[in-house]
Amino acid sequence: MSATVKSRKGTEEETGTAAKAGRGRRAGTARRVTVLRTRGGLSVRLDVPAVVVGVVLLAVALAAGVALIGSGDYPMTPAEVISTLTGGGDAGQVFIVQDLRLPRVLVGLLVGAAFGIAGAVFQIVSRNPLGSPDVLGFAQGSSVGALVAIVYFQAGTFAVAAGAVVGGVVTGIAIFLLAWKRGIHGYRFVLVGIGAGAMLYAMVLYLLTKANIVEATRATTWMTGSLNGRDWDQLRPLAAVCVVLVPLLLCYGRPLRMLEMGDDAASALGVRVDRVRIVVLLAAVVLVAAATAAAGPISFVALTAPQLARRLSLPRFLKGTGRRAPLPGPNLLLSALMGAVLLVGADWTAQRLFGADQLPVGVLTGVLGGGYLLWLLATERKSGRI
C-alpha cells in the first residue's frame, strides 16, 4: 500500500424513519464521512462520530488498564505504572507489573474484546438484540467441555481450556447444522440456540452431581468467570486467536452491513450470503470459545457491548443535525472496544469496591448485565416496540 494517502471530507445524507414510530413521516440525518484513498485504488470510509467514539473507548480502556495495574496490596501511581511498562521502575515494580498484574489486565482486555465483537456478529446474523453467545448456548457448551475435562479426566489448566474450546466449537457446529434449512434464518437460529442452551445447562448440572467435592468446587469456580490468577499461559493462546480472527471479522464488516438490509438485498449487491454467515459464525464461535477458555463463561458482556456501542455512536457530536440516529452497520470495532472497557472496568470495580471480599468479575457483569437488560426492556416497552 502506498504511504501517500489522499483524504476527502464530505457530508453524506442518510434517510431513516422518523424517531417516533407511528408518525409515518421521514426525516434526514446528516453524518460527516471521511474517505481515505491510496494511489493503489484502495479506500477506507471513516464515519466521524464512530471514529470519535472509538478513540474515546480506546482511551478509557487503556486508562482502566493502567488503573487496574496500579491497584492492589502494593499500590502504584499511574506514572509509576507507565514508567515500569516503558522500561523503568525498580526490580519489585517490574515483578509486580510484568509478572503479576499485566497478564491479568491483557487477558481482561482481550476477553472483553472477543466477547464484544462476537456478540455483534451473533446479533447481526440472528437479527435479534438477544442473539448473544451466552443466551444461545455457546457458553454452556464450553462449560460442558470444561466440566468433562475436570470430572472425568481430572485435567490440568491447559486441558480444561482445551475442553472449553472443543465444547464451544462442537456446540456452535451443532446449532448451525440444526438451524440450517436452505440457509440460516435468524428466528430459527435463536430458537435452536436457546433450546441447546437449556439442554447443555442441564448437562452441566448433571456433571456437577457426578463430581466429588474437590472437582465440584473447582468446576463451580471456573463457571463463575474470573480473571484471578490469569497469567501469560492464558494470554498467549488467546492473543494468537484474536490476532487471526479479529481482523478477519473486521474485513467482513461491509458484507455484514449489507446483510442488515436483508438476504435478497445483500444477494442483489453481490454478497454470497450463506458463505459470509458460515465464515463469520465459525470465527465468532472460536473467539467465544477461546475467551471462555481463558476466563470462564463471563455473562452479559457479549450481550450488552454491541448495544451500548450502537447507542454511543449516535451522531450527537455533530452540530446542527437536531437528530439522534444510531450508526448504521455492524459496529464490530466499537463493540470490541466497548467489551474491553466493560470487562476491565468491571474487574477494577470488583477489586476496589468490595475490599478483601473481592468478587469474581463474572458475578459483577451478571448483576450489571441483568440491570441493563431490565432497563432495555422497560425502554422498549415505553417506546411501544414490545
Side-chain angles (χ1 to χ4, degrees):
M1 178 183 300
S2 173
T4 303
V5 177
K6 296 181 180 179
S7 64
R8 177 175 63 85
K9 294 183 178 179
T11 301
E12 183 176 274
E13 294 292 334
E14 296 179 357
T15 302
T17 56
K20 295 182 178 180
R23 292 185 176 181
R25 61 183 177 85
R26 301 181 69 83
T29 301
R31 301 186 68 90
R32 292 178 57 190
V33 176
T34 298
V35 180
L36 303 180
R37 300 182 186 278
T38 68
R39 292 179 177 176
L42 298 178
S43 63
V44 178
R45 178 180 179 272
L46 299 178
D47 192 292
V48 176
V51 173
V52 173
V53 173
V55 171
V56 172
L57 289 177
L58 179 61
V60 172
L62 296 178
V66 171
L68 193 56
I69 292 175
S71 302
D73 295 334
Y74 184 84
M76 298 173 64
T77 65
E80 291 174 334
V81 172
I82 294 174
S83 175
T84 305
L85 289 174
T86 54
D90 55 33
Q93 291 175 332
V94 171
F95 172 74
I96 290 173
V97 171
Q98 296 187 2
D99 292 344
L100 298 182
R101 297 177 182 174
L102 180 60
R104 172 179 178 148
V105 172
L106 293 178
V107 169
L109 290 171
L110 291 181
V111 168
F115 279 136
I117 195 170
V121 170
F122 278 101
Q123 290 179 11
I124 293 168
V125 173
S126 64
R127 296 182 186 175
N128 193 319
L130 296 179
S132 171
D134 47 346
V135 175
L136 301 183
F138 295 92
Q140 291 86 342
S142 294
S143 297
V144 169
L147 261 64
V148 168
I150 293 175
V151 174
Y152 289 106
F153 300 100
Q154 292 78 44
T157 303
F158 180 79
V160 171
V165 172
V166 172
V169 172
V170 171
T171 301
I173 295 174
I175 292 176
F176 187 85
L177 293 177
L178 289 173
W180 180 272
K181 185 178 180 181
R182 295 190 295 274
I184 290 291
H185 187 276
Y187 185 68
R188 186 167 60 243
F189 184 72
V190 171
L191 287 182
V192 172
I194 292 176
M199 290 189 292
L200 291 169
Y201 182 68
M203 192 175 298
V204 167
L205 297 179
Y206 170 75
L207 289 171
L208 287 177
T209 63
K210 302 295 291 184
N212 59 40
I213 185 64
V214 176
E215 294 166 347
T217 302
R218 184 184 175 197
T220 304
T221 302
W222 185 87
M223 288 191 302
T224 303
S226 175
L227 296 176
N228 292 333
R230 297 304 184 268
D231 55 23
W232 298 103
D233 291 337
Q234 285 82 31
L235 177 63
R236 292 190 183 97
L238 176 61
V241 172
C242 290
V243 165
V244 175
L245 295 183
V246 170
L248 174 66
L249 288 175
L250 293 178
C251 290
Y252 276 87
R254 184 172 179 272
L256 287 174
R257 183 190 298 271
M258 295 180 180
L259 278 179
E260 287 192 325
M261 298 185 295
D263 292 356
D264 294 337
S267 298
L269 293 172
V271 177
R272 302 178 67 175
V273 175
D274 290 335
R275 192 181 74 169
V276 170
R277 282 202 177 106
I278 292 173
V279 172
V280 298
L281 280 178
L282 285 178
V285 165
V286 175
L287 264 181
V288 169
T292 305
I298 297 175
S299 59
F300 282 111
V301 174
L303 175 68
T304 57
Q307 296 300 317
L308 291 177
R310 183 177 178 84
R311 292 174 183 275
L312 281 179
S313 65
L314 298 175
R316 61 184 64 175
F317 303 100
L318 299 180
K319 296 181 180 179
T321 60
R323 285 286 313 276
R324 298 175 60 187
L327 178 71
N331 300 329
L332 296 181
L333 184 57
L334 294 186
S335 300
L337 293 172
M338 177 57 75
V341 170
L342 288 178
L343 193 52
V344 175
D347 193 32
W348 182 86
T349 304
Q351 289 190 46
R352 301 298 297 173
L353 294 188
F354 299 95
D357 298 328
Q358 295 185 7
L359 288 178
V361 68
V363 175
L364 193 60
T365 59
V367 172
L368 296 177
Y372 167 78
L373 186 58
L374 291 176
W375 172 81
L376 179 63
L377 292 174
T379 303
E380 295 292 312
R381 182 177 181 180
K382 185 177 180 181
S383 64
R385 286 189 284 269
I386 60 174

